[in-house]
Amino acid sequence: MAVSTFDNVASTLTAGTDLTVNFHHGPLTLFGGGSAYHYRSDAANLAGDLSTRTFIWSVRMNGTWKLSPVTNLQGSGNYRAASLTEGGTQGASVFMNFAMRRKLWGDKGSLTLRVADPFNLLTYGYRTLDARVDEQSERHFGVRGLFITVSRNFGQQLKLRPRQQDAEPQAAPGPPGP
């Protein structure tokens, strides 16, 4: 059995940036991005002064390749680098998905084959290390799997109409005339 307790640090400051890029060329569509930021905490109010300063970064990517008008392949992945925390470290995290989708019955359905976490990399871990404690924890989420989805839509597709614009702008209501 493990029991964890938490104390609040006096203050934290996070400053950074995020970049997102979309690219489309022929049958290929790529979406990617990343984040980078500096994290600083003042934990002088806690026993042992667990204050920390660290640089944290992560990347993400999603790619789709259109094999034909009815079939496409897709892959996605996320990576978050290991970083310092108050009194320890947080481990890196990786997640990936791959899928193939085929439209069926025109645009009324599809068959999708998806592989989640194919390399069994999804974990979360941390280590707390100070003069009193040396604790390490790593959790595996067990989401690795193969999924087959068949979907079928019945009835008519919802047709949205653009909102009607007034031909003449209406004057703002004011006080009644004399």
Side-chain angles (χ1 to χ4, degrees), residues 2-176:
V3 176
S4 297
T5 59
F6 300 91
D7 286 324
N8 290 331
V9 298
S11 66
T12 63
L13 175 66
T14 304
T17 188
D18 187 89
L19 174 69
T20 301
V21 176
N22 288 304
F23 174 79
H24 180 78
H25 181 71
L28 178 65
T29 301
L30 294 175
F31 167 83
S35 298
Y37 59 96
H38 176 76
Y39 172 79
R40 181 178 74 208
S41 69
D42 174 6
N45 61 315
L46 303 176
D49 187 4
L50 303 174
S51 301
T52 191
R53 291 173 182 254
T54 189
F55 178 76
I56 301 170
W57 64 274
S58 64
V59 292
R60 61 194 176 274
M61 186 166 188
N62 183 309
T64 302
W65 185 272
K66 193 172 185 178
L67 296 173
S68 74
V70 296
T71 306
N72 65 44
L73 297 174
Q74 184 178 49
S76 64
N78 296 302
Y79 176 80
R80 184 181 188 276
S83 62
L84 297 175
T85 61
E86 291 75 14
T89 57
Q90 179 176 324
S93 177
V94 178
F95 184 71
M96 284 185 258
N97 259 322
F98 297 100
M100 183 173 82
R101 179 175 176 254
R102 179 152 180 99
K103 290 181 184 179
L104 302 172
W105 306 290
D107 279 339
K108 293 188 179 242
S110 65
L111 172 67
T112 304
L113 176 67
R114 181 173 63 95
V115 180
D117 194 22
F119 307 111
N120 202 26
L121 297 175
L122 183 59
T123 60
Y124 171 79
Y126 67 88
R127 183 174 186 189
T128 302
L129 180 63
D130 64 26
R132 302 168 295 154
V133 174
D134 183 355
E135 175 188 16
Q136 187 164 347
S137 175
E138 188 171 283
R139 296 183 179 155
H140 296 268
F141 293 96
V143 297
R144 187 178 194 195
L146 177 66
F147 303 88
I148 298 172
T149 305
V150 177
S151 66
R152 173 76 159 106
N153 299 321
F154 297 93
Q156 288 187 338
Q157 212 173 3
L158 180 63
K159 294 182 181 165
L160 299 176
R161 291 186 303 254
R163 176 180 249 171
Q164 297 294 328
Q165 299 294 325
D166 291 337
E168 295 179 26
Q170 298 200 1

